[in-house]
Amino acid sequence: MKIIKLDEQSRQDILSQLLKRDPNNYTEYEDAVQAIVDDVRAKGDEAVFSYTERFDGVRLDPSTIRVTDGEIQEALAHVDPQLLAIMKRSMKNIRTYHEKQLQQSWFDAKPDGTILGQKVTALSSVGVYVPGGKAAYPSSVLMNIIPAEVAGVPRIVMVTPPGRDGKVNPVTLIAAHLAGATEIYKVGGAQAVAALAFGTASIPRVHKIVGPGNIFVALAKKAVYGHVSIDSIAGPSEILVLADETANPRFVAADLLSQAEHDELASAILVTTSMELAQQVSREVDQFVQILSRREILEKSLDNYGRILVADTMADAIAAANEIAPEHLEILTKNPFDTMTRIQNAGAIFLGEYSSEPLGDYFAGPNHVLPTNGTAKFFSPLGVDDFIKKSSIIYYSREALEPIHKDIEGFAEAEHLTAHANSIRVRFE
């Protein structure tokens, strides 16, 4: 890995390189995605089936697009019982963590006859996009569906591309079933997002769409935002390790590669105050790359977006981490809890040498759907809050309104909204 002295120029260069991966920069695909979205909105099922045959090589119709109970039972027979047991243990941790996020409605009644409050209501329907292809990511299925189920969403719809045999990957299917999906459809790509947003004869519309996908899925979510809510426009995965001289270089190298293997656009950055550690980590990375299975992807990812930054002080290192605002931040310092108090921007923070990033991906419980490309400066991990909405509650008695009604009328008249003022005034004529 390239070792670079951290200064203002190198920090700006890193930020500039990372921002190039932002899905919003892939404007050359927007017209194609918009055409698919418009086609599905206008033609419904006809367009969905046409694009599925064109892109996935599968001919579907209204009788085959939805996964049946029989297909779920068939899939169960193809899932390794050991993996099934692991998923169930992971689900328990994920559900327990997200149950702590649940909010309750509240009311505050005062003696003057005023009642203010907030009513918390689960969304009535959500759509969860799950990537298809050769790989299966049951962990992502669990992370997207379980918070919605915990929030109390009654209708949870999963869409995922079918294989050439017209079936959904068995592991993906069983993960969705266990997590609480109420409907599963064999459709992917921008056409699936459009179907969820606008509805077709076979796929009733939903009110929010969550879940990762390729650039076409990301841009389709952007295109339908406003017709429905979305979680975010997800970018490539990234990890930043913040370390001092006490860190284990072999652990650091392994953790950097855990994200670099996702794809060629993944980012892996070490920020450290120790040149000795930087050099040791670079050597360990080179050794690991020689033996890991996704070597070609690792090499491209590290060449393009892998860096080791050596800072003069820990304060400089922390400042760089906050500016980058990584999706995953590991802190491997002498006192990681103290270092953590100075972190402002990160999707998920992993403390200490035995809290590596895959722990969060699969098992610990916090959500692994995290803000990317610096959006941790203003976005949070996916959670129960993404699947609820809030209504304000206001009640005033006449006795409570009377002493303040002239204040309200005066405010309204200052904005030249005389009908607003009149709405209050008529109650005291």
Side-chain angles (χ1 to χ4, degrees):
M1 291 181 70
K2 299 175 185 175
I3 300 176
I4 301 170
K5 181 70 174 177
L6 178 62
D7 55 24
E8 182 60 26
Q9 185 60 53
S10 61
R11 187 178 64 84
Q12 289 298 333
D13 289 346
I14 289 287
L15 292 172
S16 177
Q17 287 175 330
L18 295 179
L19 288 174
K20 291 177 183 177
R21 309 174 312 142
D22 189 333
N24 290 305
N25 291 332
Y26 288 80
T27 54
E28 66 267 31
Y29 300 113
E30 286 184 345
D31 289 344
V33 169
Q34 190 63 56
I36 294 172
V37 169
D38 292 342
D39 207 17
V40 172
R41 187 176 188 181
K43 299 178 182 177
D45 275 356
E46 178 187 344
V48 169
F49 298 146
S50 174
Y51 286 118
T52 301
E53 184 172 5
R54 175 180 167 186
F55 295 134
D56 299 310
V58 177
R59 182 173 296 180
L60 298 175
D61 59 44
S63 67
T64 57
I65 190 171
R66 181 170 176 174
V67 171
T68 65
D69 290 340
E71 287 175 299
I72 294 173
Q73 293 305 312
E74 179 186 348
L76 186 59
H78 291 86
V79 176
D80 181 350
Q82 185 175 356
L83 175 59
L84 191 63
I86 292 171
M87 284 198 296
K88 289 180 177 179
R89 292 196 293 272
S90 174
M91 284 177 58
K92 182 179 178 181
N93 293 340
I94 297 168
R95 181 168 282 110
T96 298
Y97 180 86
H98 287 86
E99 283 173 346
K100 296 182 185 299
Q101 297 179 341
L102 275 170
Q103 296 189 48
Q104 303 298 323
S105 299
W106 58 267
F107 299 90
D108 181 19
K110 297 181 178 179
D112 65 359
T114 301
I115 300 176
L116 300 177
Q118 182 172 271
K119 185 176 183 292
V120 176
T121 308
L123 300 182
S124 61
S125 59
V126 299
V128 176
Y129 188 95
V130 174
K134 296 179 181 179
Y137 299 102
S139 61
S140 185
V141 176
L142 302 182
M143 292 290 184
N144 279 276
I145 293 178
I146 290 176
E149 188 266 338
V150 169
V153 177
R155 180 170 174 254
I156 304 173
V157 182
M158 188 182 88
V159 294
T160 189
R164 292 283 178 175
D165 58 359
K167 297 181 179 181
V168 174
N169 182 287
V171 175
T172 299
L173 192 52
I174 295 306
H177 175 66
L178 292 175
T182 57
E183 301 165 32
I184 303 171
Y185 296 94
K186 309 167 189 174
V187 58
Q191 62 270 25
V193 174
L196 289 173
F198 301 112
T200 73
S202 298
I203 306 175
R205 66 169 298 187
V206 299
H207 292 147
K208 184 165 188 171
I209 302 172
V210 302
N214 61 20
I215 188 62
F216 286 90
V217 172
L219 292 176
K221 287 169 68 176
K222 181 181 177 182
V224 302
Y225 177 65
H227 298 282
V228 293
S229 178
I230 62 172
D231 50 354
S232 65
I233 308 296
S237 189
E238 56 199 35
I239 185 171
L240 188 150
V241 178
L242 186 60
D244 61 17
E245 70 283 355
T246 66
N248 183 316
R250 189 167 177 82
F251 292 176
V252 174
D255 295 354
L256 291 170
L257 294 173
S258 73
Q259 292 308 292
E261 76 168 344
H262 271 293
D263 61 57
E264 291 88 345
L265 294 175
S267 166
I269 297 172
L270 166 63
V271 184
T272 181
T273 52
S274 169
M275 178 59 79
E276 182 180 358
L277 177 73
Q279 294 168 342
Q280 291 174 331
V281 169
S282 182
R283 287 193 293 268
E284 292 285 355
V285 165
D286 290 343
Q287 292 173 14
F288 275 131
V289 168
Q290 301 302 314
I291 61 173
L292 292 171
S293 62
R294 296 167 71 87
R295 177 176 175 176
E296 185 176 350
I297 292 175
L298 287 169
E299 289 177 338
K300 289 182 178 178
S301 171
L302 294 175
D303 284 345
N304 293 324
Y305 303 106
R307 298 291 185 273
I308 298 176
L309 303 178
V310 181
D312 288 332
T313 67
M314 182 53 65
D316 290 341
I318 292 171
N322 279 326
E323 187 67 19
I324 293 170
E327 177 187 20
H328 306 99
L329 172 64
E330 288 190 6
I331 300 179
L332 299 174
T333 59
K334 186 175 182 179
N335 188 343
F337 288 91
D338 175 68
T339 306
M340 179 266 295
T341 63
R342 286 170 280 166
I343 296 298
Q344 295 177 321
N345 306 318
I349 302 172
F350 301 79
L351 304 175
E353 63 181 10
Y354 291 100
S355 305
S356 64
E357 189 278 337
L359 173 65
D361 266 357
Y362 297 114
F363 214 77
N367 211 289
H368 79 198
V369 181
L370 303 167
T372 59
N373 279 102
T375 59
K377 293 175 182 176
F378 45 83
F379 277 143
S380 303
L382 190 73
V384 171
D385 282 354
D386 289 285
F387 300 101
I388 63 171
K389 57 190 180 72
K390 303 165 187 175
S391 302
S392 302
I393 305 296
I394 302 169
Y395 169 80
Y396 269 57
S397 66
R398 179 185 174 86
E399 290 73 24
L401 183 61
E402 187 168 15
I404 62 168
H405 78 91
K406 289 191 178 296
D407 289 341
I408 302 169
E409 293 166 24
F411 217 145
E413 287 166 354
E415 294 186 347
H416 306 290
L417 298 175
T418 55
H420 279 63
N422 187 60
S423 173
I424 297 292
R425 186 180 297 112
V426 295
R427 285 163 168 76
F428 296 97
E429 289 177 343

